Amino acid sequence: MSVKVNETIALLSDAVVAFSKINPYNFLGAGCLANSLFFYKASKHFNDEHYLELSWQEFEKVYNEVEHADLQENLSLIGGFAGVGWVYQYLVNQEEVEYDADFFSFFDKIIIDYCANEQKINNYDLFYGILGYGSYFLQRSKYDKVAADPYLNKLVAIFETMSINQQSGTVWFCDMFSDVKGKINLGMAHGLPSIISFLAKVYDINKNADAKSMAENCVNWLLTFKNPDPEAITLFPYFGNFNEKHSEIYPIEDENSETTRLAWCYGDLGIGYSIFLCGIKTDNERFIAEGIQILKKCAERKIE
């Protein structure tokens, strides 16, 4: 790895160390859990036990709150206690901490039971809803597939119940964001690509046929939005309305915008990755080719 990359990681590490001393937040989005993951990666990159100790210290700050917290008041992956379970299982999977069967048995039940509440309000969101809990169970499956499989299958069944099937494919609404209610989110952070990725990963783990079918049908629907113009800067909008002709498109900020951001959370990069991933996990050569074409276009795009 280049000297410049090492210098950059070292600079970031110093910044995170300084920030961790004043950071008032706990969770995975921008708090102690995020610091813990970063320090763990830094410890492996630099082969430095000091960073590993910092990683554990940051994790313990939040872990020690679990026993006394009302988990259901703040259970999301990115800003709540599901993130604690995810990071704990991740560290177990890396053989850095010991596995606590009682902890995970308790967490599994809390999380799967809470999914019913999210289903009622149509909240599939990756950061703050059902997909976040799905990410937790995906992480669990790497250590204990037998325990995780029933929960993953339960989530697939929930997505099947929430799905809307059209001739052109399968879609989902997420009612969490009132400003875009009635529109279909095409971003990785809060939209269809995150569903595609989750379902494809579940199929890869346990060959759930419904997961495969829904993932492929959603990709087919998503591809109907692809801009056929080879000169277009970007290929997909931020949002699409729900009708069979797909005649209206709603970018996130400006309805007359011609381009979307080059970012993981919205735009072509996350869409291309999800389609490519689905192709890999389901052995679909067409999706693999589509994903590669989209990602190559992203790589050629100039950053202004």
Side-chain angles (χ1 to χ4, degrees):
M1 190 171 290
S2 72
V3 173
K4 184 64 175 177
V5 170
N6 283 330
E7 289 176 349
T8 301
I9 295 173
L11 185 65
L12 289 171
S13 299
D14 290 343
V16 175
V17 169
F19 182 63
S20 67
K21 296 176 182 178
I22 60 173
N23 184 9
Y25 303 108
N26 285 331
F27 297 112
L28 195 52
C32 297
L33 290 177
N35 296 343
S36 178
L37 280 178
F38 181 88
F39 289 141
Y40 172 74
K41 294 290 188 180
S43 75
K44 296 304 178 184
H45 180 77
F46 292 116
N47 193 26
D48 189 335
E49 290 292 322
H50 173 63
Y51 285 121
L52 191 59
E53 180 62 27
L54 288 175
S55 173
W56 183 242
Q57 289 175 7
E58 289 295 293
F59 176 74
E60 279 192 318
K61 291 178 184 178
V62 191
Y63 177 80
N64 292 333
E65 294 186 12
V66 170
E67 184 178 356
H68 307 291
D70 183 350
L71 302 184
Q72 293 190 4
E73 284 192 357
N74 193 12
L75 197 57
S76 73
L77 176 70
I78 206 73
F81 286 99
V84 179
W86 189 97
V87 173
Y88 188 6
Q89 184 66 74
Y90 175 82
L91 293 174
V92 168
N93 294 347
Q94 306 306 310
E95 300 183 346
E96 295 295 345
V97 298
E98 292 185 3
Y99 181 78
D100 185 336
D102 291 339
F103 174 92
F104 285 107
S105 178
F106 170 73
F107 247 63
D108 289 353
K109 188 175 188 312
I110 286 285
I111 288 176
I112 200 65
D113 288 348
Y114 198 73
C115 286
N117 295 335
E118 303 289 16
Q119 183 180 358
K120 290 177 183 176
I121 60 173
N122 219 37
N123 181 19
Y124 68 68
D125 193 76
L126 172 61
F127 286 3
Y128 306 106
I130 294 172
L131 282 173
Y133 311 139
S135 296
Y136 163 80
F137 286 116
L138 287 173
Q139 193 65 241
R140 292 276 288 120
S141 72
K142 296 177 183 179
Y143 184 86
D144 191 345
K145 181 178 179 297
V146 172
D149 265 359
Y151 299 119
L152 290 172
N153 290 334
K154 173 67 174 176
L155 293 179
V156 170
I158 288 174
F159 273 102
E160 186 171 23
T161 300
M162 295 171 63
S163 67
I164 300 171
N165 296 307
Q166 292 284 289
Q167 184 176 352
S168 52
T170 301
V171 295
W172 289 263
F173 282 119
C174 187
D175 292 338
M176 182 179 174
F177 302 101
S178 59
D179 59 327
V180 294
K181 190 171 182 178
K183 313 224 172 24
I184 297 170
N185 193 309
L186 306 187
M188 176 66 88
H190 308 290
L192 298 186
S194 56
I195 300 177
I196 292 168
S197 299
F198 171 73
L199 294 173
K201 289 176 182 178
V202 173
Y203 175 72
D204 184 54
I205 291 167
N206 65 18
K207 304 307 177 190
N208 185 307
D210 291 333
K212 179 177 185 287
S213 176
M214 286 189 289
E216 291 181 330
N217 287 338
C218 189
V219 170
N220 286 328
W221 187 92
L222 189 57
L223 287 172
T224 67
F225 273 97
K226 185 180 177 183
N227 191 333
D229 182 2
E231 302 300 321
I233 297 175
T234 55
L235 299 174
F236 294 90
Y238 287 116
F239 296 96
N241 76 315
F242 184 65
N243 64 51
E244 193 57 32
K245 293 182 179 179
H246 303 170
S247 59
E248 296 179 70
I249 291 175
Y250 296 84
I252 191 168
E253 294 175 352
D254 177 6
E255 292 192 7
N256 296 315
S257 173
E258 296 181 355
T259 62
T260 53
R261 291 161 50 198
L262 183 60
W264 170 87
C265 51
Y266 287 100
D268 292 359
L269 189 60
I271 292 172
Y273 170 77
S274 70
I275 293 173
F276 174 76
L277 177 70
C278 185
I280 292 294
K281 299 299 187 184
T282 64
D283 195 25
N284 187 312
E285 294 295 334
R286 180 170 68 89
F287 290 173
I288 292 172
E290 286 279 5
I292 290 174
Q293 188 268 330
I294 295 166
L295 293 172
K296 280 185 175 179
K297 191 169 183 64
C298 289
E300 295 168 356
R301 183 174 168 183
K302 294 180 180 180
I303 302 176
E304 298 178 356

